[in-house]
Amino acid sequence: MAIRVLLVDDQPLLRTGFRMILEAEHDVAVVGEAGDGLQALDQVRALQPDVVLMDIRMPRMDGVEATRQITGGPANDGPAKVLVLTTFDLDEYVVEALRAGASGFLLKDAPAEELVQAIRVVAAGEAMLAPSVTRRLLDMYAGRLPSGEESVPNALRTLTEREVEVLRLVARGLSNAEIAADLFVSETTVKTHVGHVLTKLELRDRVQAAVFAYESGLVRPGG
């Protein structure tokens, strides 16, 4: 079955461009459009998309609040995932959208193939964590954290030493294959460790795990 996508952006021309790209793919179907967060909530309820391509800055309700309501509120009775759109200068609200439950983010000027791949990844239940952009984004966020030596959060004490190591690498934006190569283990082993980390920390996906690592002080800018 085709991946059902809802386009949410206050610029009609951008929505048209995204629609043209996605409708050229045999496994993707654009089921609707919305020009702001409130319209997005209505469309999610009515259309039950698999993936919501979500802009951040919009009138009436921004993408952060819309994401929060779609992923954790009554607007989403189904498995809709949110893929956040951002500009090249890394919108300061993107971190909040990730914390609100977005499964990842994508640059608005990303190549067409990257947009399609991101939607497929998110629809499959994975997180879209582009390493180069993610490191810049999370470094920006982590720069606001206290610089002193804080104690390890209690939640991290539930992790094994290897799980903490894996979490650090996830926060750096590495894929399972890259982590496996770095630790000299199999991808299956890495996947198991990541699953344990998410379960123990009660996190949704790799994106929230990465944000948690920075919030907790486990990973520092440039770390």
Side-chain angles (χ1 to χ4, degrees):
M1 295 179 62
I3 301 168
R4 296 166 56 82
V5 178
L6 173 67
L7 304 177
V8 184
D9 196 296
D10 62 345
Q11 299 183 51
L13 285 178
L14 276 179
R15 297 200 306 268
T16 298
F18 292 141
R19 178 182 283 274
M20 291 178 62
I21 292 170
L22 297 179
E23 289 187 339
E25 302 297 321
H26 72 280
D27 60 342
V28 179
V30 177
V31 296
E33 299 182 15
D36 60 51
L38 287 178
Q39 289 181 4
L41 298 183
D42 290 338
Q43 293 286 58
V44 168
R45 294 186 188 100
L47 302 173
Q48 293 295 301
D50 300 309
V51 176
V52 179
L53 199 58
M54 179 75 74
D55 189 18
I56 288 288
R57 299 188 180 187
M58 297 180 293
R60 299 206 299 165
M61 179 185 288
D62 65 24
V64 174
E65 181 58 29
T67 295
R68 184 177 293 111
Q69 294 197 34
I70 289 171
T71 60
N76 182 22
D77 296 326
K81 307 291 185 182
V82 177
L83 180 61
V84 172
L85 291 168
T86 183
T87 53
F88 182 74
D89 61 352
L90 296 177
D91 194 300
E92 62 183 343
Y93 296 108
V94 173
V95 168
E96 294 303 316
L98 298 178
R99 295 180 66 189
S103 293
F105 63 91
L106 192 69
L107 297 178
K108 283 190 175 182
D109 60 354
E113 60 271 18
E114 189 173 327
L115 170 65
V116 175
Q117 179 60 19
I119 287 174
R120 289 173 179 150
V121 167
V122 169
E126 298 295 329
M128 185 60 193
L129 213 62
S132 60
V133 181
T134 299
R135 280 195 289 270
R136 285 179 59 198
L137 177 64
L138 293 181
D139 281 357
M140 176 189 72
Y141 176 72
R144 306 173 192 166
L145 293 172
S147 59
E149 293 295 326
E150 295 81 19
S151 60
V152 177
N154 288 333
L156 283 177
R157 295 195 175 97
T158 67
L159 304 182
T160 66
E161 185 177 342
R162 179 47 62 93
E163 287 165 355
V164 170
E165 195 172 9
V166 168
L167 177 56
R168 283 197 178 95
L169 296 176
V170 167
R172 285 173 49 198
L174 272 65
S175 67
N176 283 353
E178 291 168 331
I179 295 174
D182 193 86
L183 299 180
F184 301 101
V185 297
S186 69
E187 284 189 55
T188 300
T189 298
V190 172
K191 187 175 181 179
T192 298
H193 287 315
V194 171
H196 289 165
V197 169
L198 298 181
T199 299
K200 290 181 178 180
L201 299 181
E202 298 182 349
L203 300 171
R204 187 191 313 274
D205 53 33
R206 297 169 74 94
V207 173
Q208 291 196 344
V211 172
F212 176 90
Y214 278 83
E215 281 188 311
S216 67
L218 179 66
V219 178
R220 294 285 175 181

